[in-house]
Amino acid sequence: MTDRSITVNGRRYAWPKAPVVVVCIDGSEPAYMDEAISAGAMPWLAKALPQGTKRLADCVIPSFTNPNNLSIVTGAPPSVHGICGNYFYDRQAGTEIMMNDPKYLRASTILAAFASAGASLAVVTAKDKLRRLLGHGMTGICFSAEKAEGTTKAEHGIDDALGFVGRPLPSVYSADLSEFVLAAGVKLMERFRPDISYLSTTDYIQHKHAPGTKITNDFYRMMDGYWAKLDAAGATVVLTADHGMNAKHGADGKPQILFLQTLLDGWLGDGKARVILPITDPYVAHHGALGSFATAYLPEGADAAAIAKRIATRPEIELSLTRAEAASRNFSAFDLALNYAQAVASPAPQRRAV
Ligand SMILES: [Zn+2]
């Protein structure tokens, strides 16, 4: 049994020798952990790192939660799994569509594949928006902290997750939401010892606070405590992030903004192009409406290559690509968290902000 493996989306994954817990720390720019470790806030990780594996890798583009969580659980870039943003613009319907529906998912997940091969699975997300995508086609336990109340065995693989975890239902805008996820992971390990767990937190804290601040160090200290418990239970702990985080304000405290829609209106006429921003997200409170990525949908007949080039001449723009160029770029420089888990007993690959 030890050399048993399964293949998903062209990659081979070894059967876990010990329970594997993959934690996707939302928005965890590597500096958060580096600073927390130097402040002495992460005693477990500080001790585990020298015996583990640490890798820095790029996330997939766009550097959002949904595309990257799906890349982690499919082992494939968005050009394969189909989740290319939190939102896309449906030209036929003339409206923005949120990519939360599994109908947009084109690839099967590693989680579903292991579950159908007989592994026991547990998935806990902070927000409910990810739950249906991550749990698509998967048998096992799958619920969100946000909607932990009233879960059913039929839909979520567990009755009354809230009662099971034994913590109050957290607010969607809080550090508690992430803590609930990790507390659930520990409880599930104690009770069911799943072969594979996937725990996905929320970046509420990282969006609001820089690395090295008391609030972020406390947040990472809290997480470190749960990872220590999972390690003590004999699990292989894999820590990764969906994307990093960078400041959207200059040293003077002013936001650094380029209004791409205004620029394109000036070039093409009012409302001819449609700019879709990362902030098109139902959970807007912690984003402050600023992001570093935009998709521009151009009108019929527009010269996309020329416009992309023209946008690239702006000093605020790091990279501007046509749709075909963007889709063909290989952003799968990351290796999958689960593969690290086969080789090492401890963490921690991380992703770089883009
Ligand atoms: Zn995220």
Side-chain angles (χ1 to χ4, degrees), residues 4-16:
R4 188 177 167 198
S5 68
I6 60 170
T7 299
V8 191
N9 301 319
R11 286 172 184 246
R12 207 166 64 88
Y13 301 98
W15 201 265

Side-chain angles (χ1 to χ4, degrees), residues 26-27 64-65 69 203 242-243:
D26 199 327
F64 302 159
T65 298
N69 267 275
D203 55 9
D242 55 348
H243 54 80

Side-chain angles (χ1 to χ4, degrees), residues 53-255:
T53 299
K54 183 183 177 183
R55 295 278 185 276
L56 195 62
D58 291 324
C59 65
V60 300
I61 301 294
S63 53
F64 302 159
T65 298
N66 287 5
N68 276 284
N69 267 275
L70 269 298
S71 283
I72 293 168
V73 301
T74 60
S79 56
V80 173
H81 63 63
I83 304 300
C84 58
N86 290 353
Y87 265 80
F88 75 100
Y89 181 61
D90 183 335
R91 285 176 187 274
Q92 261 117 46
T95 177
E96 295 100 337
I97 309 275
M98 198 173 180
M99 297 198 87
N100 278 356
D101 197 315
K103 73 181 180 192
Y104 300 114
L105 191 56
R106 296 178 191 162
S108 60
T109 71
I110 298 157
L111 306 172
F114 269 99
S116 57
S120 54
L121 269 288
V123 173
V124 186
T125 64
K127 295 172 189 169
D128 205 58
K129 69 173 182 173
L130 258 178
R131 179 185 63 86
R132 285 202 307 145
L133 282 171
L134 292 175
H136 186 59
M138 188 197 97
T139 48
I141 295 168
C142 183
F143 63 91
S144 70
E146 181 187 357
K147 301 256 168 80
E149 199 167 14
T151 65
T152 61
K153 190 137 177 64
E155 194 185 341
H156 307 88
I158 186 168
D159 285 325
D160 184 24
L162 188 66
F164 171 75
V165 177
R167 294 176 63 88
L169 191 70
S171 150
V172 74
Y173 298 118
S174 71
D176 289 349
L177 197 69
S178 293
E179 179 160 7
F180 189 97
V181 171
L182 299 173
V186 169
K187 275 267 157 75
L188 290 164
M189 185 59 61
E190 287 167 354
R191 177 79 62 87
F192 301 107
R193 208 167 172 77
D195 295 318
I196 298 173
S197 303
Y198 186 79
L199 311 175
S200 181
T201 66
T202 164
D203 55 9
Y204 170 79
I205 290 291
Q206 290 90 339
H207 266 296
K208 287 176 109 59
H209 304 280
T213 54
K214 184 177 181 313
I215 286 178
T216 52
N217 285 351
D218 285 348
F219 183 67
Y220 280 80
R221 185 195 308 277
M222 174 276 288
M223 292 199 288
D224 192 75
Y226 287 101
W227 301 334
K229 285 184 186 163
L230 292 166
D231 182 28
T236 300
V237 180
V238 182
L239 311 175
T240 187
D242 55 348
H243 54 80
M245 194 64 69
N246 52 33
K248 309 293 187 294
H249 296 73
D252 57 0
K254 282 197 191 127

Side-chain angles (χ1 to χ4, degrees), residues 64 86-87 258 260 275-281 289 291 293-295:
F64 302 159
N86 290 353
Y87 265 80
L258 169 67
L260 195 56
V275 174
I276 301 291
L277 295 172
I279 196 54
T280 43
D281 184 312
F293 179 90
T295 311

